[in-house]
């Protein structure tokens, strides 16, 4: 979240005009990201004009997280979902966890609502969902939490180190 990349690609500055309209924003984000492809992602990345020096400020960035997902696919020569399955879900016996919304019966998913009690949409399918696209059961999330609370793994210890400043919650400046 310190790369200088925007919240998401395709980048639409008008989505983030203050004050935010939280009743419409999730629907608009889904609309612009529907069926967003890897090619479109990298075309957007090539065209994006940075307005800050990387690491100079914190700006929440799903685009940066999705870029990390694409980099991992390149390194491991597997899909992001296969990487998660091999490195996280299978070792922790998380058998009811995926990132493919199309593989889930959405009628059994919890329905989120905003502060105005408006039902919010699930995220749309696109080629990369590294930015929080995990769909899981309570039982599987307890397995994940237990692993983090009781592990002596160096990787887990490093994951728990504070690496971000207090302004990480800012979505747009």
């Amino acid at each position: 979240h310190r790369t200088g990349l925007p919240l998401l690609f395709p980048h639409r500055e008008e989505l983030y005009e203050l004050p935010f309209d939280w009743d419409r924003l999730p629907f608009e984000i889904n609309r612009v990201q529907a069926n967003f492809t890897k090619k479109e992602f990298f075309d957007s990345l090539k065209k994006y004009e940075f307005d800050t020096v990387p690491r100079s400020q914190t700006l929440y960035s799903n685009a940066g997280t999705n870029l990390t997902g694409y980099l991992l696919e390149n390194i491991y020569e597997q899909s992001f979902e296969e990487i998660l399955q091999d490195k996280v879900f299978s070792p922790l016996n998380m058998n009811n966890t995926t990132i493919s919304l199309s593989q889930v019966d959405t009628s059994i998913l919890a329905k989120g609502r905003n502060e105005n009690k408006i039902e919010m949409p699930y995220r749309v399918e696109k080629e990369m969902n590294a930015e929080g696209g995990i769909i899981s059961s309570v039982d599987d999330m307890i397995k994940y939490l237990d692993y983090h609370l009781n592990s002596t793994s160096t990787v887990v210890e490093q994951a728990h180190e504070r690496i971000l400043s207090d302004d990480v919650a800012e979505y747009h400046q």
Side-chain angles (χ1 to χ4, degrees):
H1 300 303
R2 296 179 60 83
T3 62
L5 288 171
L7 176 60
L8 57 86
F9 285 137
H11 181 61
R12 300 284 192 275
E13 189 68 32
E14 67 275 8
L15 288 178
Y16 311 106
E17 292 174 358
L18 296 175
F20 289 138
D21 181 349
W22 291 107
D23 291 347
R24 77 166 179 83
L25 187 60
F27 296 96
E28 288 298 311
I29 288 172
N30 274 358
R31 184 183 62 75
V32 300
Q33 287 202 308
N35 301 309
F36 195 60
T37 66
K38 181 177 184 176
K39 181 185 181 325
E40 290 170 316
F41 180 91
F42 282 101
D43 286 346
S44 295
L45 182 61
K46 287 178 198 172
K47 294 175 190 172
Y48 185 70
E49 293 184 25
F50 288 85
D51 61 0
T52 184
V53 176
R55 298 184 57 101
S56 65
Q57 61 181 291
T58 301
L59 181 64
Y60 193 94
S61 176
N62 286 346
T65 305
N66 282 334
L67 178 58
T68 301
Y70 283 126
L71 293 172
L72 289 169
E73 285 185 338
N74 191 49
I75 291 166
Y76 287 99
E77 298 179 349
Q78 292 180 288
S79 72
F80 186 69
E81 184 158 17
E82 290 170 329
I83 295 166
L84 287 176
Q85 189 65 46
D86 290 349
K87 306 287 184 195
V88 181
F89 305 156
S90 289
L92 298 179
N93 295 313
M94 296 173 67
N95 301 318
N96 295 303
T97 301
T98 184
I99 62 169
S100 296
L101 191 59
S102 61
Q103 294 179 10
V104 175
D105 176 2
T106 57
S107 70
I108 65 170
L109 294 180
K111 307 277 190 217
R113 294 184 181 273
N114 71 2
E115 64 185 16
N116 294 321
K117 298 185 175 55
I118 296 172
E119 189 174 299
M120 293 288 102
Y122 301 118
R123 65 152 168 81
V124 295
E125 288 291 333
K126 52 191 186 304
E127 286 194 38
M128 179 55 68
N129 293 301
E131 85 288 356
I134 294 175
I135 303 156
S136 190
S137 67
V138 172
D139 287 342
D140 278 5
M141 291 310 302
I142 289 171
K143 292 173 186 175
Y144 183 79
L145 182 61
D146 182 64
Y147 175 70
H148 275 268
L149 291 175
N150 296 305
S151 178
T152 57
S153 163
T154 303
V155 172
V156 171
E157 288 177 15
Q158 289 175 348
H160 294 181
E161 288 179 14
R162 185 182 177 108
I163 59 172
L164 299 173
S165 62
D166 289 333
D167 62 351
V168 73
E170 291 185 29
Y171 288 93
H172 187 72
Q173 298 177 358

